[in-house]
């Protein structure tokens, strides 16, 4: 798989099919769209690609740091697994934001990327103030000689699968449902930082994570997770919250890794969220918390 930054490069090699979108989460709806683009591209003898903005378009448009489901690194791995030939990267900045729909199509898709097929979802919009919709894309396809495929919404359990819905489910702690919409566990990557150094004394050292990007955070509570350290995956338990037993006030994301005993401060870990187990509680003594933590471990050991 190639990754091409369109800032200083253009594709001169071959004609391409492309899927367009933010693809935050690369959920089951995104996968269907991308697989369809790959298949349709193959029929036409085209290479396949996705165009990804380095930064989240909504964050630029609304000038805020929006919460996200996936980092670009995670997207690259997932897209490579799907069989994508090329990822085109672009910086979404104020100039880009002000491009008219037609200029976006002509300057980027046609001139820089040699696109012959564009696949988008039913609610895709593009160009300044998101003025361009599917019908305009189809017209521009006629003008600039590329095919356009607009995919209908993908439903699951009677709901349209969307990144916004999945983020809301995660915020509510409904991890199982969020994961069924994602098609894999929601996962967060980040560096292990120092905490209060209390975990080891409780018999449960916890790796405190600093999120690598502004990942959406599940509601406070204890979760069954798995944790990737280096190239190994371990069973784990993750507590999100303010440790009310100890009257902390900031929210931490901390993971106790089973059958593990290494110093991993400063290392990057990935935590996959599998299941919500219980609320974070205020215990009257630390001994009671320790008893509960043993019960938590038994919950995930037994299956
Ligand atoms: C499985 C698990 C369950 C936890 N449950 C609670 C809880 O219910 N209430 C609470 O106050 N803290 C809970 N904690 C957080 C501990 O209080 C925390 O790990 C400890 O204070 C260590 O913090 P440190 O990493 O800053 O040293 C839990 C931690 C783990 C790993
Ligand atoms: N099984 C384990 N799970 C998580 N971290 C572990 C484990 N074994 C050793 N560690 C190490 O111990 C650190 C956590 O110890 P802890 O006493 O909770 O300190 P802190 O408050 O700094 O997180 C982790 O950051 C990691 O480097």
């Amino acid at each position: 798989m190639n990754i091409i930054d369109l800032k200083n490069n253009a594709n001169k090699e071959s004609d391409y099919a492309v899927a367009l979108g933010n693809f935050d989460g690369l959920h089951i709806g995104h996968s269907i769209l991308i697989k369809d683009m790959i298949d349709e591209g193959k029929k036409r003898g085209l290479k396949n690609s996705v165009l990804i903005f380095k930064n989240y378009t909504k964050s630029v448009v609304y000038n805020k740091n929006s919460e996200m489901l996936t980092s670009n690194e995670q997207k690259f791995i997932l897209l490579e697994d799907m069989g994508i030939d090329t990822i085109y990267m672009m910086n979404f900045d104020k100039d880009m934001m002000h491009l008219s729909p037609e200029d976006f199509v002509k300057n980027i898709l046609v001139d820089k990327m040699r696109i012959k097929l564009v696949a988008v979802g039913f609610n895709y919009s593009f160009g300044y103030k998101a003025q361009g919709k599917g019908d305009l894309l189809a017209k521009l396809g006629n003008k600039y000689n590329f095919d356009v495929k607009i995919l209908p919404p993908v439903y699951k359990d009677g709901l349209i699968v969307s990144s916004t819905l999945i983020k809301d489910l995660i915020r509510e702690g409904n991890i199982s449902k969020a994961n069924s919409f994602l098609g894999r566990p929601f996962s967060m990557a980040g560096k292990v930082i120092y905490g209060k150094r209390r975990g080891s004394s409780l018999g449960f050292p916890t790796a405190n994570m600093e999120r690598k990007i502004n990942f959406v955070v599940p509601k406070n509570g204890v979760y069954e997770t798995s944790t990737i350290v280096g190239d190994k995956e371990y069973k784990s338990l993750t507590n999100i919250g303010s440790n009310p037993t100890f009257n902390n006030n900031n929210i931490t994301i901390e993971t106790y890794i089973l059958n593990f005993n290494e110093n991993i401060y400063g290392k990057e870990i990935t935590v996959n969220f599998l299941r919500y187990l219980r609320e974070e509680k205020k215990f009257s003594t630390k001994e009671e918390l320790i008893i509960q933590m043993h019960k938590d471990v038994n919950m995930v050991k037994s299956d």
Side-chain angles (χ1 to χ4, degrees):
M1 188 179 73
N2 305 304
I3 300 177
I4 298 178
D5 191 331
L6 284 176
K7 190 170 180 211
N8 306 312
N9 297 290
N11 153 47
K12 299 185 189 72
E13 253 70 297
S14 35
D15 290 340
Y16 267 91
V18 70
L20 298 177
N22 261 315
F23 300 125
D24 184 29
L26 274 170
H27 57 57
I28 54 175
H30 295 144
S31 301
I32 289 174
L33 170 68
I34 290 167
K35 286 194 183 114
D36 194 78
M37 179 277 296
I38 295 175
D39 291 347
E40 289 295 321
K42 268 194 193 129
K43 284 185 202 158
R44 294 166 169 79
L46 303 172
K47 290 187 115 185
N48 65 64
S49 65
V50 293
L51 171 63
I52 286 189
F53 293 107
K54 280 187 205 159
N55 41 354
Y56 196 38
T57 56
K58 279 187 188 151
S59 297
V60 179
V61 173
Y62 301 113
N63 197 18
K64 62 169 192 186
N65 191 9
S66 307
E67 290 187 326
M68 282 185 283
L69 292 165
T70 37
S71 65
N72 281 338
E73 285 87 347
Q74 289 173 316
K75 284 185 194 171
F76 295 165
I77 294 167
L78 293 164
L79 289 167
E80 178 147 45
D81 285 351
M82 283 181 192
I84 288 293
D85 295 319
T86 301
I87 296 178
Y88 290 107
M89 298 293 291
M90 275 205 82
N91 205 20
F92 190 81
D93 52 20
K94 296 275 174 206
D95 288 345
M96 186 73 204
M97 185 173 118
H98 287 99
L99 272 186
S100 72
E102 179 155 358
D103 285 346
F104 169 72
V105 165
K106 167 82 173 66
N107 301 355
I108 313 290
L109 301 186
V110 177
D111 293 346
K112 284 207 168 211
M113 293 165 62
R114 281 184 54 177
I115 291 308
K116 294 290 174 212
L117 169 71
V118 179
V120 294
F122 71 105
N123 57 357
Y124 177 74
S125 55
F126 62 107
Y128 186 49
K129 292 195 170 157
Q131 283 159 339
K133 303 278 186 302
D135 52 346
L136 178 61
L137 190 62
K139 277 191 199 133
L140 294 170
N142 279 333
K143 182 166 174 186
Y144 294 107
N145 191 29
F146 58 83
D147 292 338
V148 174
K149 275 209 77 177
I150 299 171
L151 270 93
V154 172
Y155 286 84
K156 189 170 169 62
D157 304 336
L159 295 167
I160 295 181
V161 179
S162 78
S163 309
T164 307
L165 172 67
I166 297 170
K167 282 189 269 196
D168 286 342
L169 289 168
I170 291 171
R171 288 188 192 106
E172 290 162 14
N174 197 342
I175 296 295
S176 313
K177 192 149 192 174
N179 288 351
S180 78
F181 283 63
L182 274 174
R184 62 170 193 287
F186 167 61
S187 65
M188 243 187 224
K191 213 170 71 174
V192 177
I193 53 167
Y194 286 92
K196 297 261 188 321
R197 315 300 292 266
R198 201 187 289 130
S200 303
S201 70
L202 299 174
F204 292 91
T206 54
N208 290 45
M209 172 192 268
E210 179 179 68
R211 289 169 300 153
K212 194 172 183 179
I213 58 159
N214 193 19
F215 284 110
V216 60
V217 180
K219 81 164 182 188
N220 287 1
V222 181
Y223 293 85
E224 176 177 357
T225 55
S226 74
T227 299
I228 300 170
V229 187
D231 54 8
K232 279 200 186 145
E233 186 167 347
Y234 302 85
K235 279 192 181 215
S236 53
L237 286 161
T238 300
N239 184 69
I240 300 182
S242 57
N243 303 170
T245 308
F246 303 98
N247 297 317
N248 284 1
N249 34 33
N250 59 322
I251 304 275
T252 55
I253 302 167
E254 41 171 335
T255 300
Y256 169 65
I257 307 169
L258 276 69
N259 303 317
F260 184 84
N261 182 19
E262 283 172 39
N263 178 336
I264 47 170
Y265 287 119
K267 280 201 179 177
E268 184 169 314
I269 58 172
T270 299
V271 176
N272 302 316
F273 285 81
L274 305 176
R275 182 161 62 118
Y276 173 78
L277 293 177
R278 64 170 178 87
E279 280 181 357
E280 192 193 36
K281 288 182 230 154
K282 183 175 172 71
F283 292 94
S284 359
T285 61
K286 79 173 195 200
E287 287 70 28
E288 282 175 51
L289 170 62
I290 294 171
I291 291 170
Q292 179 59 52
M293 285 162 104
H294 280 291
K295 286 188 191 156
D296 295 336
V297 169
N298 284 333
M299 288 265 291
V300 305
K301 258 189 184 164
S302 56
D303 46 42

